[in-house]
Amino acid sequence: MLSSSKIPTESSRSAACPAEDAASAGLLSRLGLRFTAWAERWFPDAFVFAAIAVVAVALAAMLNGASPRAVAQSFGDGFWSLIVFTMQMALVAVGGYVVATSAPADRLIRRLAAIPVSGRQAVAYVATVSMILSMFNWGVSLIFSALYARALARRTELRMDYRAAGAAAYLGMGATWALGLSSSAAQLQANPGSLPKSILDITGVIPFGQTIFLWQSLVMALVLMIVSVAVAMWSAPSAGNAVTAQDLGVDLADERPALQASDKHRPGEWFERSPLLTLLLCALGFGWLAQEFMAKSPLVAISGLNTYNLLFLMLGMLLHWRPRSFLDAVTRAVPSTAGVIIQFPLYGAIAAMLTAAKGYGGVTLSDRIAHVFVSISNTDTFAVVMGAYSAVLGFFIPSGGGKWIIEAPYVMQAANELQVHLGWAVQVYNAAEALPNLINPFWMLPLLGVLALKARDIVGFTFLQLLVHTPLVLFLLWFLGRTLEYVPPVMP
């Protein structure tokens, strides 16, 4: 269903909308369009950025006085340090996709699509759904919201601007996902078994109660949701100026693959078509989950990545009902995990080179960078300095969990020295990490594939969100951070 959608040609788009409407013709949108056009032309694959980062850190470590042998040793030692976390994060994406593409989810989408009474209201609904779902699973948010936008686009009487709806569907990834349950940094810090020792020795274990469930974090997420929905609704073109999916030549047909007649009679596939195995596996899975949640505090239980992933996989299996449908969804989801699988080992190697390759005077590169952070900031300004730094770095290394592995050794060491609340330092990273997603084409790809659009179709709207979010996020990080006091690291 997702891969068969037809992507309109440039000529069909030009014919459909010879003059851009007021929203996309403004200065802000033109800047966004130019940035995205440049990024699509000049940005290499995210793997290239990760490889460049490895080389840069290795050279910097040697300039810091570490021997080539020590750098190579730390590279190899760190390469597989994230293997558990790599698999866990790949399953976050798979579980989210499987749940979002199930038949019950499709029925829910159709019901939600019947609610809005105008195009602008429809865009606001998409934005709201996207951000709420992102608090639970970014994969569910990305795919479900895109399918929701397609369903709304079939209601031709709404005259909904399809590009604005696509941008609204992306707001979960661009505004709130890192403040929710699938936050890579928060999950990593709460799971000592997945956290490299080089970081664990600096930060200790930081439970969800000190990161995503801080009242300050929840307030920030709520404010971002309200502002984002308002901007999405306000910036969406009116019905008279809207460019619909039909105008863009997007094929909105629901093309779920039908079961071939010959397949129905193959005895060997009986188990694939029967819900029997689904029910048995789900009974075991949900039975274990029930014991886990009864034996522990819900906050502690859900913070376990294995528990979190099992919950979504079992839910996805149950919603798909038959193993064949579940397996087909998993197959379609796997390509989206390629970047995680191949890049995360490089991030683990970078973290090891930062913290293990000692240079002059036994000082590591991580120590040097941490001292720079301490010298240019204080307890009061740390959130703004770190937030701005993380946002800029996020343009070039588009990976929530992977980039945290790079940043954590020195920014968390600086947080300790400045006595900044460590859980809030994680949330500073999380909030700032989402900002570059708004205009970085890397994270848009799964959504654009479902919508049959290109990045330049939606980035005019997301760029406007970026201009609003950046000062707001930095202010909230500074203002709310002032209400927290430093707590020493808790070692497992």
Side-chain angles (χ1 to χ4, degrees):
M1 177 180 70
L2 304 181
S3 60
S4 58
S5 300
K6 298 178 181 177
I7 299 178
T9 63
E10 294 300 320
S11 59
S12 68
R13 293 167 190 255
S14 298
C17 45
E20 292 291 334
D21 53 70
S24 61
L27 174 62
L28 299 181
S29 293
R30 287 202 303 271
L31 288 174
L33 290 170
R34 287 176 183 175
F35 177 87
T36 304
W38 179 84
E40 286 185 327
R41 180 177 176 83
W42 293 104
F43 265 43
D45 186 86
F47 174 80
V48 174
F49 281 121
I52 292 174
V54 170
V55 174
V57 170
L59 291 174
M62 285 186 278
L63 289 174
N64 187 49
S67 68
R69 179 177 180 179
V71 172
Q73 180 69 42
S74 60
F75 173 87
D77 290 344
F79 194 84
W80 298 115
S81 62
L82 291 178
I83 192 65
V84 173
F85 185 62
T86 299
M87 186 63 178
Q88 289 169 327
M89 292 313 298
L91 287 174
V92 170
V94 170
Y97 185 100
V98 168
V99 170
T101 55
S102 64
D106 181 63
R107 289 193 291 271
L108 177 60
I109 287 171
R110 294 176 187 274
R111 291 180 181 177
L112 290 174
I115 297 175
V117 296
S118 69
R120 278 184 167 170
Q121 189 182 91
V123 170
Y125 268 84
V126 173
T128 302
V129 167
S130 175
M131 288 185 286
I132 290 176
L133 288 178
S134 74
M135 297 294 289
F136 298 94
N137 184 290
W138 64 263
V140 173
S141 170
L142 207 59
I143 302 305
F144 187 97
S145 302
L147 294 172
Y148 183 35
R150 285 177 63 90
L152 285 165
R154 296 189 188 103
R155 291 186 55 192
T156 55
E157 79 281 3
L158 287 177
R159 292 293 302 171
M160 179 189 73
D161 191 287
Y162 193 56
R163 304 161 304 166
Y170 188 61
L171 284 176
M173 277 303 287
T176 53
W177 81 273
L179 300 175
L181 289 174
S182 58
S183 162
S184 305
Q187 286 278 11
L188 192 60
Q189 290 295 159
N191 288 269
S194 304
L195 194 63
K197 188 177 184 300
S198 58
I199 299 176
L200 184 62
D201 290 343
I202 298 170
T203 67
V205 178
I206 307 177
F208 274 3
Q210 294 297 310
T211 54
I212 61 174
F213 287 125
L214 285 169
W215 71 260
Q216 292 88 344
S217 180
L218 296 175
V219 166
M220 181 163 57
L222 180 60
V223 170
L224 288 175
M225 285 185 187
I226 293 171
V227 172
S228 299
V229 171
V231 173
M233 189 170 182
W234 170 74
S235 63
S238 61
N241 294 320
V243 177
T244 66
Q246 291 77 14
D247 293 333
L248 292 169
V250 175
D251 183 2
L252 297 173
D254 187 1
E255 300 175 356
R256 289 181 178 272
L259 181 66
Q260 297 180 2
S262 59
D263 290 343
K264 296 179 180 179
H265 305 292
R266 293 178 184 173
E269 295 186 354
W270 185 85
F271 277 112
E272 297 178 25
R273 312 297 177 182
S274 168
L276 178 61
L277 288 178
T278 297
L279 292 172
L280 292 175
L281 290 174
C282 287
L284 291 171
F286 285 113
W288 182 86
L289 288 167
Q291 295 181 66
E292 191 74 0
F293 278 91
M294 287 188 292
K296 301 176 181 177
S297 161
L299 294 185
V300 174
I302 198 62
S303 68
L305 262 173
N306 291 335
T307 304
Y308 177 86
N309 278 327
L310 182 62
L311 174 62
F312 275 91
L313 287 174
M314 290 296 102
L315 180 60
M317 186 178 295
L318 187 63
L319 292 175
H320 278 273
W321 194 239
R322 302 179 192 280
R324 172 46 51 199
S325 175
F326 173 76
L327 290 173
D328 288 343
V330 170
T331 300
R332 292 194 298 271
V334 165
S336 67
T337 68
V340 171
I341 292 172
I342 200 62
Q343 290 173 44
F344 273 40
L346 296 182
Y347 296 136
I350 290 172
M353 288 189 292
L354 284 168
T355 57
K358 294 184 178 180
Y360 300 118
V363 177
T364 65
L365 186 58
S366 175
D367 293 329
R368 298 282 185 198
I369 302 175
H371 292 156
V372 172
F373 269 92
V374 172
S375 67
I376 63 175
S377 60
N378 55 42
T379 304
D380 196 41
T381 62
F382 176 81
V384 175
V385 173
M386 179 187 167
Y389 168 80
S390 295
V392 172
L393 188 61
F395 284 112
F396 303 101
I397 304 179
S399 173
K403 190 164 75 67
W404 176 246
I405 298 299
I406 298 174
E407 290 188 42
Y410 51 86
V411 297
M412 296 302 274
Q413 182 177 337
N416 274 322
E417 292 184 29
L418 293 171
Q419 295 200 330
V420 174
H421 188 282
L422 295 182
W424 189 245
V426 175
Q427 292 307 89
V428 169
Y429 169 85
N430 280 332
E433 163 64 22
L435 291 173
N437 289 353
L438 287 166
I439 55 174
N440 195 322
F442 177 79
W443 289 113
M444 294 180 183
L445 295 178
L447 176 111
L448 296 173
V450 176
L451 294 173
L453 292 175
K454 291 186 177 293
R456 57 178 167 268
D457 292 314
I458 70 172
V459 79
F461 299 98
T462 59
F463 187 77
L464 177 60
Q465 294 277 1
L466 174 66
L467 293 179
V468 175
H469 282 214
T470 300
L472 177 62
V473 166
L474 293 178
F475 170 76
L476 290 172
L477 291 175
W478 167 78
F479 180 75
L480 294 172
R482 291 165 61 89
T483 66
L484 291 161
E485 296 183 357
Y486 176 71
V487 178
V490 177
M491 298 301 170

